Amino acid sequence: MAIGGKDGREGRWATKFAGHFVLSGNRRFFRVVVWAFVFAAMLIAGWLLLSVVVGDDLSRQNDAGIGEYEKLTRRSIELIAQLERQVTAEACSPAFLDGMRKLAFLPDGINSILYAQDGAIACTSNAGKLDRKVEFGAPDLAASETAANLDIWFDRPQGPLGLPGEIGTIVGGNGFLVTMPEISAPEGPFGRSSREIIFRVDDKRWISRSGRKGLYAAAGMVGISGFNWAEWSFYGRDCGELGLYCAASRAPLSEVIASRPFQIGGFLAFACIVAFFVGGLADRGMRSYWSLPQRFVRGLTAERVECVYQPVVQMETGAIVGIEVLSRWRDADGRLVFPDTFLPIVNDRGLSRRLTEIVIGKARKELAQHLPADMELQVAFNISPRDYKYDFLRPLFDGHEPDTARLGYIVEIVETESFDLSSIKLEMMRLRRQGVRTYIDDFGVGFSNIGNLAELPIDGVKLDRGFSMAPQGSLWANMLPRALELVGSAGHRVVVEGVETAERFEMLKKNRHATFVQGYFIARPMPVEALVTFLKSYPASGPAGTEQPVAASALNIVDFGRLKR
């Protein structure tokens, strides 16, 4: 039988893999792996968050530097236009100089206005009319090369213009010009961070204006991540609204950590706690998902439930007259799980009806396909009292499979819980009219009692195996003949299960109340193919006899639920 596969159910490899980690000895390793994975994920998330925060800080630092340059540039353009409108007197005349000085004293950061004639400066707002015109030569950037349509002379000495020892950038044309003072960008949020502000000519040309030269180019090579792993430094690069100035900043990782020791340390502690918590959840989730109850619930399907059949012998004739249908469940890894392991799960999860539907449907189909056409058998199924309902059971026995009319059906009520006598009596009578007989199973334990024998219209009683398997001379063994007489005297058929030795079999043959027997001495539960072979050879071979029973071994059952936790 194929287990698992491409249909989405867990397969053998998945169950074995899960079993490896659910085992107590490997759980610590599993939790460490999950902890490391979650901690690494948290570090990645923290790194991304830190990158965003540092990137924002560097952008604010860049914007602060760019803003001063753009502010002066925008004011220079406006001031030149204002000069051309308002100062209209004769060039370099007293009235002309007076108009220049009035505008030069505006609180806009520009206090040096120049006037050029034929490419040479003739007068200034500071020095007045010059005795000799000052030539600055060709501009570093012609008006045709700039978005502002102005000539620009970078870093020119202002001594000849009446400002000794100062350097400034001259902006204008053949007419009014203004001198923009040098600007020092504000300090950034990180100790040893560095920056560069450039004047952008185009995408491939720029002129460094202040700061560390070459930083803008280096920042352009970092890419989207903004982190240079070779230098262990963050980079940021931004341009202003005018597109004339751009800035780049660099912050070493060590400085970033030093600037936020408590935040970073707190995050690492938080990441450890989260990883530890998630590791615990993953451990519990793994154990829960791959526990036997969860695997059983997911795998309670007709493909995974297997029917086995144990023959029942009529003591008077020695012939096989019936079989009891028992169930096994095939785990996802292919190992067989026995009822003593999965029936508690069935009861706890309310799955008894689902299991009953699967077992009855599968058994009827298998018997119809494999049993010889001339063979008549009584087929017994175990039913929980809670499921002993006519409306539930009748459809399971209706619509007979082809060639199953020769089969009689018995439902054995497993007395593991109490039931209402009046209601169950009605159900028995309705089922009997449909040809379905009812036996009391495991009489002698649970809620079975003599009152049930007297009150219920049952067709037979199955004695609990505690009687037949009891050691010779024990209380249970001594009670066996009395139990047989008690039930037989009430007019009920008696099935003694759990017969495992020839001595016990011969003893029962001498008791007229022992109507039927079953047990390992006759045959063990077997698949339908083996059942057919056994039935064909039984008259000649007789009971299994000398074979010793084999109890279900825990080594043959995968039960993660029983593993040490």
Side-chain angles (χ1 to χ4, degrees):
M1 176 182 293
I3 303 296
K6 297 181 179 179
D7 59 356
R9 295 171 300 186
E10 64 267 19
R12 295 186 179 185
W13 69 268
T15 305
K16 290 181 178 179
F17 173 82
H20 177 75
F21 284 112
V22 174
L23 289 173
S24 179
N26 297 320
R27 280 178 53 202
R28 181 174 298 178
F29 173 74
F30 172 72
R31 293 187 69 166
V32 169
V33 170
V34 174
W35 181 92
F37 178 81
V38 175
F39 186 71
M42 291 289 291
L43 286 183
I44 293 174
W47 177 261
L48 295 176
L49 177 61
L50 181 65
S51 299
V52 171
V53 172
V54 173
D56 289 343
D57 288 342
L58 293 178
S59 292
R60 283 193 293 270
Q61 177 179 319
N62 291 337
D63 291 342
I66 295 171
E68 291 299 319
Y69 278 90
E70 288 205 331
K71 176 181 175 182
L72 288 176
T73 301
R74 187 179 289 107
R75 181 55 187 150
S76 298
I77 296 172
E78 295 173 352
L79 183 58
I80 290 173
Q82 192 174 5
L83 287 166
E84 291 175 347
R85 290 195 306 270
Q86 297 182 12
V87 183
T88 57
E90 182 181 354
C92 295
S93 65
F96 187 90
L97 293 174
D98 186 57
M100 289 174 56
R101 291 189 181 100
K102 288 180 180 180
L103 293 178
F105 283 108
L106 293 176
D108 55 11
I110 299 175
N111 54 19
S112 179
I113 301 175
L114 318 174
Y115 184 77
Q117 290 178 327
D118 300 325
I121 298 175
C123 56
T124 73
S125 60
N126 293 314
K129 185 175 181 179
L130 301 178
D131 297 333
R132 187 176 61 182
K133 293 182 179 180
V134 178
E135 295 186 1
F136 278 97
D140 295 312
L141 286 177
S144 59
E145 297 179 279
T146 65
N149 197 30
L150 295 172
D151 294 327
I152 300 177
W153 293 263
F154 292 109
D155 303 328
R156 290 297 195 267
Q158 300 295 300
L161 302 178
L163 297 171
E166 294 190 16
I167 296 176
T169 296
I170 300 174
V171 178
N174 190 25
F176 291 106
L177 301 92
V178 296
T179 301
M180 294 171 49
E182 291 301 303
I183 300 173
S184 297
E187 288 295 323
F190 310 108
R192 291 190 295 114
S193 60
S194 52
R195 67 198 61 80
E196 180 187 21
I197 298 176
I198 59 99
F199 183 90
R200 180 176 172 274
V201 180
D202 53 42
D203 292 339
K204 296 182 179 180
R205 293 176 58 205
W206 56 81
I207 299 172
S208 180
R209 298 303 301 123
S210 65
R212 177 182 169 183
K213 291 186 177 181
L215 198 62
Y216 186 78
M221 300 175 63
V222 173
I224 299 175
S225 65
F227 190 79
N228 187 319
W229 291 97
E231 300 179 6
W232 288 87
S233 298
F234 289 95
Y235 279 88
R237 192 161 90 157
D238 302 276
C239 292
E241 295 180 1
L242 297 178
L244 295 175
Y245 293 93
C246 297
S249 297
R250 172 183 175 271
L253 179 60
S254 58
E255 294 296 324
V256 172
I257 295 175
S259 67
R260 293 177 168 84
F262 296 107
Q263 295 92 324
I264 294 176
F267 178 81
L268 291 177
F270 175 73
C272 287
I273 295 173
V274 170
F276 181 81
F277 179 73
V278 173
L281 288 181
D283 178 43
R284 289 191 292 272
M286 172 71 81
R287 286 188 288 122
S288 174
Y289 184 84
W290 288 105
S291 65
L292 179 62
Q294 292 295 341
R295 297 199 316 277
F296 182 81
V297 171
R298 294 194 302 272
L300 185 55
T301 62
E303 293 77 17
R304 301 270 284 275
V305 173
E306 298 185 11
C307 294
V308 291
Y309 308 88
Q310 187 171 34
V312 178
V313 171
Q314 186 178 41
M315 295 298 285
E316 182 178 356
T317 63
I320 302 294
V321 295
I323 53 176
E324 181 180 7
V325 181
L326 304 171
S327 60
R328 308 285 187 262
W329 179 70
R330 187 72 64 175
D331 206 343
D333 65 350
R335 299 187 186 185
L336 206 60
V337 181
F338 289 82
D340 61 336
T341 300
F342 66 75
L343 283 182
I345 303 172
V346 171
N347 294 329
D348 291 343
R349 302 299 180 91
L351 299 173
S352 57
R353 286 202 172 193
R354 176 60 180 154
L355 181 61
T356 299
E357 291 172 346
I358 292 174
V359 171
I360 293 178
K362 191 164 188 174
R364 293 182 62 201
K365 185 175 182 179
E366 289 182 349
L367 294 173
Q369 292 176 349
H370 293 88
L371 282 183
D374 59 346
M375 184 172 292
E376 296 182 0
L377 288 175
Q378 294 293 316
V379 184
F381 299 93
N382 293 314
I383 302 295
S384 170
R386 73 182 69 173
D387 299 329
Y388 189 79
K389 306 293 182 183
Y390 174 81
D391 293 337
F392 169 64
L393 292 174
R394 178 181 175 179
L396 302 182
F397 295 110
D398 271 353
H400 295 291
E401 296 284 344
D403 298 327
T404 58
R406 53 199 162 82
L407 301 178
Y409 296 109
I410 299 172
V411 293
E412 298 177 355
I413 302 179
V414 184
E415 290 192 284
T416 54
E417 55 188 78
S418 62
F419 46 75
D420 180 65
L421 287 176
S422 59
S423 62
I424 207 166
K425 183 186 298 186
L426 177 62
E427 304 294 339
M428 285 184 182
M429 296 174 64
R430 297 177 69 187
L431 285 171
R432 179 180 289 171
R433 287 196 292 268
Q434 298 299 320
V436 179
R437 298 178 180 178
T438 301
Y439 281 27
I440 296 295
D441 194 13
D442 294 336
F443 182 80
V445 297
F447 292 87
S448 61
N449 55 66
I450 298 175
N452 291 347
L453 298 182
E455 292 290 333
L456 297 174
I458 59 175
D459 298 289
V461 173
K462 178 174 284 188
L463 289 185
D464 180 70
R465 65 183 61 202
F467 290 107
S468 59
M469 294 177 64
Q472 191 68 30
S474 65
L475 177 62
W476 277 84
N478 294 333
M479 290 177 59
L480 176 58
R482 293 172 177 79
L484 287 169
E485 182 177 359
L486 174 65
V487 178
S489 299
H492 302 305
R493 297 178 178 182
V494 182
V495 181
V496 182
E497 63 178 344
V499 178
E500 299 185 357
T501 64
E503 292 78 10
R504 193 58 51 91
F505 183 78
E506 291 299 326
M507 185 272 288
L508 291 171
K509 284 179 64 175
K510 298 175 183 178
N511 192 310
R512 62 187 180 89
H513 295 297
T515 318
F516 308 99
V517 297
Q518 70 181 89
Y520 286 145
F521 179 73
I522 308 300
R524 298 168 181 164
M526 63 191 79
V528 67
E529 297 86 354
L531 173 68
V532 173
T533 301
F534 176 80
L535 293 176
K536 290 180 179 179
S537 63
Y538 176 75
S541 63
T546 57
E547 295 189 23
Q548 294 298 316
V550 179
S553 170
L555 296 178
N556 298 323
I557 302 173
V558 179
D559 186 357
F560 294 158
R562 291 184 177 181
L563 297 176
K564 183 179 179 182
R565 299 188 178 188

